[in-house]
């Protein structure tokens, strides 16, 4: 009997192996021609990540990208054949091809958090939703977000001021994350979450961080790919509750806002004047989703929930991480901080003038600083696309077979010495008009690119300009750490392992050139 069981197991294994080899025969032809990482059956290259922390995983990925520089290379993530793309010319081909609009199959992991919002939706659903939602993020409507930027920044400044002249460093994240979540929640949902002054809802913000890190970690552990295995893992580690928290809060907000929307609609139908002159575009965004739902546009309750969570996650986490990194970089390099403040002073001098959208267009050097921050610390350092039809990348004359998962690596591109001199240094002059003109357009893709590029990139840059400039008008920022001390970890988003430790002092309102003037004898 034992011999029969062993025989059956061997036969099953051989059949599975033969099927695996036959199904992947097109990939193996390319694998034979393309340099890449060694792999074992079924688990692929993932054995190299066994037992590693998120920090070490990030470090190993950077080593791979450095070894191959701009050349594409291949690997296996469990049963999935992947090609890592770094060269700008190849990135442009993949990101703009109609054959590569589908997000990689591993994005299904993030659907447990984001559902099928714009970030994770299949191509057909993405096309429909993108067409509906894009008009809400044009320049004119962004102006209506500005009062919320101002209001939430004022609260942020009051809160951070408690750290003035403290000798012990504090973590910027503790202040910036609640601020960013409050801002996006007010602007997109018309809902005052108020986590900056009340800690009641912070559980949701913490749950977003935890769930995105868990699902990001899962990519490098093929043994957690099956849903039943991952579900057991969450129960054993006691972390299934955070997923419930991420789902619960948006449904609560949607239910509340839907009741308000229905009441307004009934009042309008009854010809009662319910005009509210203070209503801003944040509320109209959610109202538009409700209208799509009511008008039979195949926009369901679950669609609304998915887009809401996508907006909350994308609009808060990404901006908060970038602002924290940016302020930390300015704390490390006081000369650059002084140059940013000089630009701010030239616009506002020592007045209490409240920043306007027109003012943000004059913050040219600050925009260079933000872009340099995004170059060194792209929030999404890896992007995935699944090839739907054979696609040729011309730089190396490779044809990527249908079913290939392309891993697009902005961080590898941004750190290439062929594109940026001293690429690991923080140098905002990388984004002077002269230096931008020398580089390929796709040598900088912090917001992805092509048709599936980030819908909120203008929102992000605008909000970050307001936040950083407002912060520097009130405080000078300092730190004891160096750029080389920063360690990165990878989940769905890239973060600092040790947070963003700084101290602040009252701002000397004079610009640098006046501070350095010698007194007249």
């Amino acid at each position: 009997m034992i011999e029969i069981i062993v025989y059956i197991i061997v036969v099953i294994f051989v059949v599975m192996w033969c099927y695996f080899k036959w199904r992947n025969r097109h990939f193996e032809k390319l694998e034979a021609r393309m340099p890449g990482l060694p792999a074992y059956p079924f688990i692929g290259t993932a054995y190299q990540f066994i037992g590693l922390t998120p920090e070490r995983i990030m470090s190993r990925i950077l080593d791979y990208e450095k070894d191959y520089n701009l050349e594409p290379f291949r690997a296996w993530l469990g049963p999935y054949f992947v090609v890592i793309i770094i060269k700008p010319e190849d990135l442009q081909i993949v990101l703009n091809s109609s054959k590569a609009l589908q997000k990689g199959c591993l994005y299904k992991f993030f659907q447990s958090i984001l559902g099928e919002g714009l970030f994770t939706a299949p191509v057909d659903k993405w096309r429909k939703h993108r067409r509906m939602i894009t008009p809400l993020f044009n320049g004119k409507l962004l102006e209506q977000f500005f009062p919320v930027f101002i209001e939430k920044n004022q609260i942020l400044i009051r809160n951070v001021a408690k750290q003035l002249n403290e000798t012990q460093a504090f973590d910027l994240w503790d202040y910036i994350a609640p601020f960013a979540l409050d801002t996006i929640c007010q602007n997109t949902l018309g809902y005052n979450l108020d986590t900056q002054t009340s800690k009641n809802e912070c559980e949701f913000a913490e749950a977003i961080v935890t769930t995105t890190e868990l699902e990001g970690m899962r990519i490098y552990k093929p043994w957690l790919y099956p849903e039943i295995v991952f579900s057991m893992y969450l129960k054993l580690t006691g972390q299934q509750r955070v997923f419930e928290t991420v789902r619960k809060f948006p449904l609560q907000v949607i239910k509340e806002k839907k009741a308000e929307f229905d009441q307004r609609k009934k009042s309008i139908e009854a010809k009662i004047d319910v005009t509210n002159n203070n209503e801003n575009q944040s509320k109209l965004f959610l109202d538009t989703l409700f209208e799509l739902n009511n008008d039979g546009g195949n926009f369901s309750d679950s669609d609304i929930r998915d887009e809401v969570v996508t907006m909350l996650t994308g609009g808060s986490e990404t901006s908060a991480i970038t602002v924290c990194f940016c302020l930390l970089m300015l704390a490390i390099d006081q000369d650059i901080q002084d140059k940013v403040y000089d630009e701010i002073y030239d616009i506002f001098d020592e007045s209490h003038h409240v920043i306007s959208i027109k003012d943000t267009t004059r913050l040219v050097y600050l925009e260079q600083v933000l872009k340099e921050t995004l170059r060194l610390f792209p929030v999404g350092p890896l992007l995935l696309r699944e090839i739907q039809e054979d696609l040729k990348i011309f730089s190396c004359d490779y044809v990527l077979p249908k079913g290939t998962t392309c891993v697009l690596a902005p961080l590898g591109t941004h750190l290439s010495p062929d594109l940026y001199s001293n690429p690991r240094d923080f140098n905002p002059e990388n984004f002077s008009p002269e230096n931008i003109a020398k580089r390929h357009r796709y040598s900088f893709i912090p917001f992805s690119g092509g048709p599936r590029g980030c819908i909120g990139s203008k929102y992000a840059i605008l909000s970050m300009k307001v936040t950083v400039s407002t912060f520097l008008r009130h405080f000078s920022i300092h730190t004891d750490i160096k750029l080389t001390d920063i360690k990165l970890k990878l989940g769905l988003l890239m973060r600092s392992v040790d947070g963003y430790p700084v101290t602040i002092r009252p701002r000397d309102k004079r610009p640098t050139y006046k501070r350095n003037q010698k007194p007249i004898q």
Side-chain angles (χ1 to χ4, degrees):
M1 180 61 70
I2 294 175
E3 290 179 355
I4 293 173
I5 293 173
V6 170
Y7 177 76
I8 292 173
I9 290 174
V10 170
V11 169
I12 291 173
F13 181 83
V14 170
V15 170
M16 288 176 63
W17 176 245
C18 291
Y19 172 74
F20 180 82
K21 297 289 285 185
W22 177 82
R23 191 189 66 175
N24 294 316
R25 62 193 185 282
H26 303 300
F27 301 140
E28 292 186 351
K29 287 181 181 178
L30 178 59
E31 182 181 20
R33 296 179 53 214
M34 180 180 285
L37 306 177
Y40 287 130
F42 302 114
I43 65 169
T45 310
Y47 73 92
Q48 299 196 29
F49 300 108
I50 294 175
L52 297 186
T53 63
E55 173 192 344
R56 287 292 302 135
I57 289 173
M58 189 72 244
S59 177
R60 182 155 292 183
I61 290 172
L62 287 172
D63 289 341
Y64 293 152
E65 293 176 350
K66 184 178 180 181
D67 290 342
Y68 292 95
N69 195 11
L70 291 176
E71 297 305 313
F73 61 98
R74 43 86 181 155
W76 288 87
L77 285 179
Y80 303 113
F81 179 70
V82 303
V83 174
I84 296 85
I85 305 288
I86 300 174
K87 196 168 188 176
E89 291 82 356
D90 295 334
L91 291 171
Q92 183 175 21
I93 290 171
V94 175
L95 287 171
N96 286 279
S97 174
S98 60
K99 301 175 182 178
L101 289 174
Q102 182 69 42
K103 291 294 184 79
C105 51
L106 297 178
Y107 274 74
K108 66 183 180 183
F109 299 154
F110 302 111
Q111 290 180 356
S112 60
I113 311 167
L114 305 175
E116 291 188 346
L118 289 178
F119 181 70
T120 53
V123 173
D124 292 343
K125 191 170 190 176
W126 163 78
R127 281 198 179 101
K128 182 181 68 174
H129 287 195
R130 177 88 180 212
R131 188 167 55 249
M132 295 173 179
I133 293 172
T134 295
L136 299 176
F137 284 85
N138 60 42
K140 182 178 179 180
L141 296 179
L142 284 175
E143 293 181 16
Q144 299 183 50
F145 291 163
F146 225 75
V148 176
F149 290 159
I150 303 302
E151 175 194 348
K152 301 304 181 184
N153 268 286
Q154 289 172 345
I155 300 173
L156 171 66
I157 296 304
R158 288 200 299 270
N159 289 342
V160 175
K162 299 171 186 175
Q163 297 289 342
L164 271 172
N165 298 320
E166 293 288 338
T167 56
Q168 186 173 356
F170 67 96
D171 191 347
L172 280 166
W173 180 259
D174 295 337
Y175 293 91
I176 301 297
F179 153 76
L181 182 59
D182 280 1
T183 304
I184 192 68
C185 202
Q186 185 77 48
N187 272 333
T188 59
L189 309 182
Y191 185 88
N192 186 18
L193 187 59
D194 199 24
T195 59
Q196 292 195 89
T197 56
S198 170
K199 300 299 182 182
N200 293 335
E201 302 287 359
C202 278
E203 186 180 8
F204 172 71
E206 294 169 1
I208 288 179
V209 174
T210 303
T211 52
T212 54
E213 288 184 345
L214 282 169
E215 294 290 15
M217 166 273 298
R218 190 179 175 191
I219 290 176
Y220 307 102
K221 298 183 177 181
W223 50 93
L224 294 178
Y225 284 6
E227 288 297 330
I228 187 171
V229 176
F230 187 61
S231 178
M232 291 174 61
Y233 170 81
L234 293 178
K235 288 180 180 178
L236 290 172
T237 56
Q239 297 184 95
Q240 73 272 23
R241 187 179 61 83
V242 294
F243 285 84
E244 296 167 3
T245 300
V246 169
R247 298 185 190 103
K248 181 180 177 181
F249 171 71
L251 291 175
Q252 172 191 330
V253 176
I254 291 168
K255 182 179 179 181
E256 179 180 326
K257 290 298 175 181
K258 183 67 163 63
E260 293 177 9
F261 174 81
D262 290 341
Q263 184 60 46
R264 288 198 304 273
K265 187 176 179 182
K266 289 178 182 178
S267 299
I268 291 171
E269 290 172 352
K271 298 183 179 180
I272 297 175
D273 183 8
V274 293
T275 302
N276 181 358
N277 292 327
N278 294 321
E279 208 171 63
N280 57 36
Q281 182 58 29
S282 301
K283 197 168 187 178
L284 291 177
F285 168 76
L286 192 54
D287 282 353
T288 300
L289 300 187
F290 291 145
E291 288 167 2
L292 293 170
N293 178 269
N294 288 350
D295 294 342
N298 293 323
F299 208 90
S300 65
D301 290 344
S302 62
D303 290 335
I304 294 175
R305 180 263 172 200
D306 294 347
E307 296 301 348
V308 164
V309 177
T310 298
M311 291 295 175
L312 290 180
T313 304
S316 63
E317 292 288 285
T318 55
S319 293
I321 292 170
T322 302
V323 168
C324 287
F325 272 126
C326 181
L327 291 173
L328 185 59
M329 290 299 99
L330 294 177
I332 291 171
D333 195 318
Q334 292 293 310
D335 290 338
I336 294 177
Q337 183 179 163
D338 286 343
K339 191 170 180 180
V340 173
Y341 180 72
D342 287 352
E343 179 180 67
I344 293 170
Y345 185 90
D346 288 342
I347 297 172
F348 302 106
D349 56 59
E350 296 179 21
S351 70
H352 296 290
H353 168 66
V354 177
I355 190 171
S356 66
I357 282 193
K358 185 177 180 180
D359 293 329
T360 64
T361 63
R362 299 171 62 191
L363 294 169
V364 177
Y365 187 69
L366 175 54
E367 184 165 333
Q368 289 180 213
V369 168
L370 286 167
K371 287 182 176 179
E372 179 67 354
T373 303
L374 287 164
R375 181 187 71 82
L376 278 178
F377 309 105
V379 180
L382 301 174
L383 312 169
L384 276 64
R385 294 288 187 273
E386 185 177 316
I387 304 302
Q388 300 298 295
E389 298 179 31
D390 290 1
L391 177 66
K392 186 174 184 180
I393 50 176
F394 296 105
S395 67
C396 298
D397 200 33
Y398 292 127
V399 175
L400 306 181
K402 176 182 177 180
T404 300
T405 296
C406 282
V407 177
L408 312 176
L411 187 57
T413 307
H414 294 177
L415 294 180
S416 170
D418 292 346
L419 301 172
Y420 298 91
S421 59
N422 302 315
R424 294 178 185 270
D425 293 342
F426 186 76
N427 179 19
E429 289 305 317
N430 281 321
F431 292 93
S432 67
E434 299 79 13
N435 285 326
I436 289 175
K438 296 175 184 176
R439 293 192 301 268
H440 191 282
R441 178 184 173 189
Y442 280 74
S443 62
F444 178 65
I445 52 167
F447 299 106
S448 186
R452 292 203 78 160
C454 177
I455 194 173
S457 58
K458 290 182 179 179
Y459 175 95
I461 292 295
L462 185 66
S463 66
M464 291 189 293
K465 277 187 174 183
V466 174
T467 302
V468 175
S469 63
T470 302
F471 199 101
L472 293 181
R473 287 177 73 182
H474 289 83
F475 313 116
S476 65
I477 186 166
H478 308 268
T479 189
D480 292 330
I481 71 170
K482 300 179 180 64
L483 178 57
T484 52
D485 295 331
I486 297 175
K487 300 173 184 177
L488 303 174
K489 62 180 178 179
L490 182 63
L492 171 60
L493 307 174
M494 189 172 72
R495 307 171 189 274
S496 169
V497 172
D498 300 313
Y500 313 87
V502 299
T503 58
I504 58 172
R505 301 171 193 166
R507 166 62 66 186
D508 184 340
K509 299 296 184 181
R510 295 170 297 165
T512 307
Y513 52 82
K514 286 190 177 181
R515 270 179 262 155
N516 294 335
Q517 285 178 351
K518 294 181 179 180
I520 298 174
Q521 301 294 329

